[in-house]
Amino acid sequence: MENKVNDFSMPIRKEDKKIKIGLIGLGTVGSGVFKTLKSFGNVEVVKIAVRNINKPRNIEGLDSSIVTDDAFSVVNDPNIDIVVELIGGLEPAFQLIETAIKNGKHIVTANKELLAKRGEELFKFAEENNRVILYEAAIAGGIPIIMPIKTILAGNAITRIEAILNGTTNYILTKMDVQGASYEDVLKEAQELGYAEADPTGDVEGFDAAYKITTLATLAFKKRIKIDKVYREGITKIRAKDMEAAHDLGYKIKLIASAYLSKDGKADVRVHPMLVSQKSTLAHINYVTNAVSLEGHPVGGITLSGPGAGEFPTASSVVGDILAIAAELNTTNYLLPMMRCNHSSAAEMIDIADTENKYYLSINAKNNKGVIGKIGTICAENEISLASIVQRGVSEDNTADITVITELCREKDMQKTIKAFEADDMINKVNSMIRVQI
């Protein structure tokens, strides 16, 4: 019997034509997409738009004749079926996608900022023109989350999401935890290794994770989440001492993107550092790994984890979207109905001030008799009960570092308590306030 070599690329019948792909962006992800698509015989990249056409690109099989610095020539090319946008940002990405849809093209994008800020417009415009926008790579890199929610989890009422959605911040916090190093030192190391940008603001101040949880919560709750209503707090104030204290108390500190849907349909969506129990799954998601935990009925709780960024992990999600569209082109007049945006009402958002949380506080106070009692009194006066209070030593200047964990209390009461601490003569400073996973 003749030995046959397995060929896992999609077969092409003579009467079939290859699906034409236009790439906008040939950076890390774009390069991974181009390389990966070479394995599939039913699709062909026919045009690629780049910012700098003269930049050397060590990509095997790249025909320089299909590379252009005119992105609009891609979206206006009548031969292209699918436009893949991988440049990020609001403009010119919005205008390019809008033009591509007008010209009858389907869209694959990894642009989390664009979806969070102008997704409502784009999805509405795409539906009016009977085109689809797929965006698996815009949430968690190589972790499949959009299609599972839209398909296999479609029968669930999802009410809670807790996720680690930014590899840079997770890398920094992990290194701070493992090495006992300062935020500044680890950030510098992360920049040298290429895990953090020269300007890391988008990552370390929580913008990137906020964009992602906005779109993910919109999808999971079937109600549109407004990005300007999402509470955001970064990791720049986290100290090595906080890491040490959290560890002693049985926690890890992670930047958590969370979304909760109350029984009356209100949404609490936010990004901030959190003390996460060492017994929880998210506590053990380290370095650049991402994870998404969902709770819903009837599935209960599930967690998906994996690489949240990088050339091939993100390319995996982009290519999956491309092939999903390619499989249905020329077979139906209404592609991928389950993957389309099917909601228009906005969720009523819960303001952070009206939420209830547990809190970790690190307080520097004078090493005087009665100071711990005074902290307890101020908390009680503001409707806050304490789960624990520990003095962590006395410094040479005769000040004491005191760690507090509260019971469940209102955010607005905690903010009043911090102001009362700062006004008290016995208390020098509230070094840290970090919310605790419930």
Side-chain angles (χ1 to χ4, degrees):
M1 181 181 291
E2 180 184 354
N3 290 326
K4 293 184 178 180
V5 177
N6 288 328
D7 180 4
F8 294 104
S9 61
M10 195 171 292
I12 308 171
R13 299 189 305 270
K14 287 184 179 179
E15 64 270 24
D16 289 343
K17 68 168 188 174
K18 289 188 177 185
I19 304 300
K20 308 296 185 186
I21 309 297
L23 281 184
I24 301 176
L26 195 60
T28 300
V29 177
S31 298
V33 170
F34 178 82
K35 295 171 187 175
T36 304
L37 285 175
K38 300 286 285 184
S39 300
F40 295 88
N42 64 324
V43 293
E44 178 185 9
V45 178
V46 297
K47 192 170 286 189
I48 304 171
V50 298
R51 184 179 288 110
N52 180 4
I53 200 169
N54 297 314
K55 179 181 177 180
R57 300 177 194 278
N58 185 25
I59 301 175
E60 184 179 350
L62 177 62
D63 179 359
S64 60
S65 69
I66 69 171
V67 181
T68 176
D69 57 5
D70 179 8
F72 281 93
S73 72
V74 176
V75 297
N76 288 318
D77 188 327
N79 295 313
I80 288 174
D81 303 297
I82 303 170
V83 168
V84 182
E85 182 271 310
L86 301 171
I87 56 174
L90 293 180
E91 291 295 352
F94 181 90
Q95 192 177 356
L96 287 165
I97 291 176
E98 184 181 49
T99 304
I101 292 170
K102 283 180 184 176
N103 290 332
K105 301 171 195 324
H106 299 282
I107 306 298
V108 174
T109 180
N111 194 332
K112 58 255 182 181
E113 182 180 5
L114 180 63
L115 292 175
K117 292 181 176 178
R118 303 193 69 178
E120 183 175 6
E121 298 169 70
L122 281 178
F123 288 119
K124 181 180 179 182
F125 187 69
E127 193 62 27
E128 289 170 352
N129 287 270
N130 191 20
R131 291 297 176 265
V132 295
I133 301 173
L134 298 188
Y135 51 98
E136 187 70 70
I139 306 300
I143 304 172
I145 189 67
I146 303 303
M147 197 164 288
I149 289 175
K150 284 281 194 178
T151 56
I152 198 68
L153 294 173
N156 285 268
I158 296 172
T159 55
R160 185 182 295 274
I161 304 167
E162 285 190 346
I164 294 171
L165 294 175
N166 184 271
T168 298
T169 50
N170 202 42
Y171 177 85
I172 291 170
L173 292 174
T174 302
K175 293 288 279 189
M176 287 178 68
D177 181 43
V178 171
Q179 297 180 348
S182 70
Y183 165 79
E184 291 79 11
D185 288 344
V186 176
L187 173 60
K188 183 179 179 182
E189 178 187 335
Q191 289 171 322
E192 291 170 350
L193 292 171
Y195 290 133
E197 302 287 345
D199 179 3
T201 304
D203 294 320
V204 300
E205 293 293 357
F207 288 99
D208 177 79
Y211 299 148
K212 293 171 179 176
I213 194 63
T214 295
T215 301
L216 182 57
T218 294
L219 171 71
F221 297 160
K222 299 182 177 64
K223 293 185 177 185
R224 191 153 296 284
I225 303 298
K226 301 291 187 180
I227 183 66
D228 58 349
K229 301 290 186 181
V230 174
Y231 178 80
R232 176 191 53 77
E233 182 183 324
I235 66 167
T236 56
K237 295 178 182 178
I238 303 296
R239 306 170 307 144
K241 287 184 178 181
D242 297 321
M243 286 288 184
E244 182 183 352
H247 187 272
D248 291 346
L249 291 163
Y251 295 96
K252 298 280 189 179
I253 298 177
K254 298 290 185 181
L255 182 70
I256 300 295
S258 67
Y260 170 70
L261 191 66
S262 67
K263 290 181 179 179
D264 57 357
K266 296 178 182 179
D268 171 13
V269 185
R270 41 174 137 150
V271 173
H272 55 66
M274 186 180 287
L275 266 69
V276 177
S277 170
Q278 291 180 16
K279 296 178 181 178
S280 74
T281 300
L282 292 183
H284 303 284
I285 303 300
N286 292 321
Y287 298 102
V288 295
T289 302
N290 282 193
V292 181
S293 293
L294 304 173
E295 288 184 19
H297 179 77
V299 72
I302 61 171
T303 299
L304 299 104
S305 66
E311 179 180 8
F312 287 111
T314 307
S316 167
S317 293
V318 173
V319 170
D321 282 346
I322 293 170
L323 297 178
I325 295 172
E328 294 212 351
L329 276 176
N330 306 319
T331 67
T332 176
N333 291 324
Y334 194 74
L335 272 67
L336 298 166
M338 288 190 74
M339 299 305 298
R340 298 193 181 212
C341 180
N342 56 8
H343 52 271
S344 56
S345 62
E348 183 179 349
M349 301 288 284
I350 301 172
D351 189 275
I352 189 71
D354 296 321
T355 63
E356 289 192 336
N357 310 276
K358 293 183 179 181
Y359 297 86
Y360 155 91
L361 300 174
S362 174
I363 301 168
N364 181 262
K366 293 179 173 63
N367 185 35
N368 293 346
K369 292 179 180 179
V371 67
I372 287 180
K374 189 62 178 290
I375 289 172
T377 299
I378 291 174
C379 287
E381 289 172 348
N382 287 283
E383 306 297 325
I384 293 175
S385 297
L386 302 184
S388 69
I389 182 166
V390 179
Q391 183 169 320
R392 298 183 61 82
V394 179
S395 301
E396 292 181 359
D397 60 357
N398 201 38
T399 62
D401 284 327
I402 299 167
T403 296
V404 171
I405 299 287
T406 75
E407 298 287 5
L408 202 64
C409 59
R410 295 188 301 176
E411 174 86 14
K412 61 180 67 175
D413 291 334
M414 175 51 65
Q415 296 298 339
K416 287 192 295 183
T417 301
I418 290 174
K419 288 181 180 178
F421 284 151
E422 291 173 343
D424 191 275
D425 290 339
M426 294 180 72
I427 296 171
N428 299 320
K429 185 181 181 182
V430 177
N431 291 311
S432 304
M433 183 210 78
I434 307 172
R435 296 166 190 87
V436 180
Q437 186 183 47
I438 299 171

